[in-house]
Amino acid sequence: MAESIDRFIKVPDGLNLHVRIHGAENGGTPVVCLPGLTRNVLDFEDLARMLAAPPNDRRIIAISSRGRGVSDRDPKPERYTIPVEAGDVISVLDALGIDDAAFIGTSRGGLILHVLAMTHLNRIERLVLNDIGPVLETEGLRQIQGYLGNRPVLASYAEAADILKATHGAEFPALGPDDWAGMARALYREIDGKLAADFDPDIAAQFRAADLSQPFPDLWAQFALFADKKVMVIRGEHSRLLSRATTDEMARRHSGCTIVEAKGQGHAPLLHLDGLAEAIGVFLGS
């Protein structure tokens, strides 16, 4: 199994971002993993280990955006925006001497890639969009607002796993006890003697304050910029954020777009389950 190393990279406004690199000595085009709204590098831990090991042997770089995991929290919460976080990705690539990379973007990470399509398209060799696309369904956004508003005090990781299953179990029938336990370890951290969700509460407050009375503007113009890139889209079978109608339209508009459905999963699918990692490895090597 390829070893992982941790680095902290300072971005231009002075914050240090946590970057975890798997298979640092592996060759080929590196793969950069961008987590969702409140997630961090641990979201990709199992997938990264699989992609860094034979037969893929890829260098995998996972980035915790500002305010997530052990990356610095931003003293100016108004900078928790997708354009700022997209700029941070470029700063990390520059610091690591990476000209271009394959990308895997989960949810918000995929939205960051749509911004990079406008600003740094040449840095994207190909991309995997995990349960995200040019149209965000309001039902899914409301669902996220709902569970971000529920932040109970937890006594143990076992209790955290139970709460995660109670909240998301109906959409994730494919997950077993070990999967819920792993998700709890990825999402929570012991801080000041208490088990807490591992992100700046200001991020949740900002998202909960979003006005969802009107649909979000679509990103079809940005998606069109990927026309010459290979694209894989993974949609959770029970996702409320990314509809089948949207993935059908993505495939219609982009002849090089591969659509994969994650059976028994919702938003956002765990990418190391049910052959998804193997499919991603084939896509990255094609």
Side-chain angles (χ1 to χ4, degrees):
M1 182 179 294
E3 293 185 359
S4 65
I5 59 174
D6 292 295
R7 287 190 57 179
F8 287 87
I9 293 176
K10 183 171 288 190
V11 294
D13 58 16
L15 297 186
N16 289 294
L17 303 189
H18 176 216
V19 177
R20 177 163 290 179
I21 303 172
H22 299 258
E25 302 303 318
N26 290 343
T29 303
V31 180
V32 175
C33 299
L34 307 178
L37 174 67
T38 60
R39 314 294 274 262
N40 59 70
V41 299
L42 296 180
D43 238 19
F44 296 100
E45 195 75 1
D46 293 315
L47 175 69
R49 288 174 179 170
M50 295 169 78
L51 294 178
N56 297 294
D57 295 315
R58 303 300 290 265
R59 177 163 54 128
I60 312 298
I61 299 150
I63 304 172
S64 287
S65 294
R66 58 180 62 209
R68 285 80 162 182
V70 294
S71 289
D72 284 349
R73 297 187 174 189
D74 200 323
K76 297 181 178 180
E78 64 271 17
R79 293 191 297 205
Y80 288 131
T81 67
I82 292 171
V84 168
E85 291 160 22
D88 289 344
V89 172
I90 296 302
S91 295
V92 170
L93 294 185
D94 290 344
L96 296 176
I98 296 172
D99 293 326
D100 68 314
F103 285 85
I104 302 172
T106 292
S107 195
R108 189 178 177 99
L111 297 179
I112 288 172
L113 291 175
H114 282 75
V115 170
L116 291 179
M118 296 186 293
T119 61
H120 293 84
L121 184 62
N122 62 314
R123 309 296 287 267
I124 302 173
E125 189 264 342
R126 67 185 65 197
L127 63 154
V128 177
L129 297 173
N130 183 22
D131 214 59
I132 196 70
V135 177
L136 306 180
E137 301 297 327
T138 302
E139 180 187 7
L141 294 170
R142 291 190 189 282
Q143 179 189 31
I144 294 170
Q145 278 189 332
Y147 63 68
L148 285 180
N150 182 21
R151 297 172 64 88
V153 176
L154 302 175
S156 67
Y157 283 106
E159 183 182 2
D162 289 341
I163 288 176
L164 287 169
K165 184 177 180 180
T167 304
H168 304 287
E171 291 181 81
F172 285 86
L175 272 57
D178 289 346
D179 300 315
W180 293 113
M183 188 183 294
R185 291 279 177 183
L187 290 176
Y188 293 88
R189 179 162 57 98
E190 200 169 303
I191 303 172
D192 297 330
K194 298 179 181 178
L195 201 61
D198 203 5
F199 61 90
D200 188 338
D202 283 331
I203 296 169
Q206 184 185 79
F207 192 86
R208 290 199 308 273
D211 180 8
L212 300 182
S213 61
Q214 299 296 324
F216 271 31
D218 69 59
L219 300 174
W220 287 118
Q222 290 82 357
F223 180 74
L225 299 174
F226 296 131
D228 295 329
K229 310 290 183 182
K230 290 186 176 181
V231 179
M232 171 184 271
V233 181
I234 297 171
R235 178 185 180 272
E237 179 185 14
H238 305 298
S239 176
R240 300 183 194 178
L241 189 69
L242 179 64
S243 70
R244 284 197 182 93
T246 296
T247 56
D248 288 347
E249 184 65 12
M250 293 168 81
R252 188 188 72 80
R253 296 190 185 208
H254 190 315
S255 60
C257 183
T258 300
I259 309 295
V260 176
E261 188 160 87
K263 299 296 183 183
Q265 297 203 65
H267 181 79
L270 304 184
L271 296 179
H272 62 282
L273 298 180
D274 196 30
L276 293 176
E278 290 78 7
I280 292 170
V282 170
F283 171 77
L284 292 174
S286 62

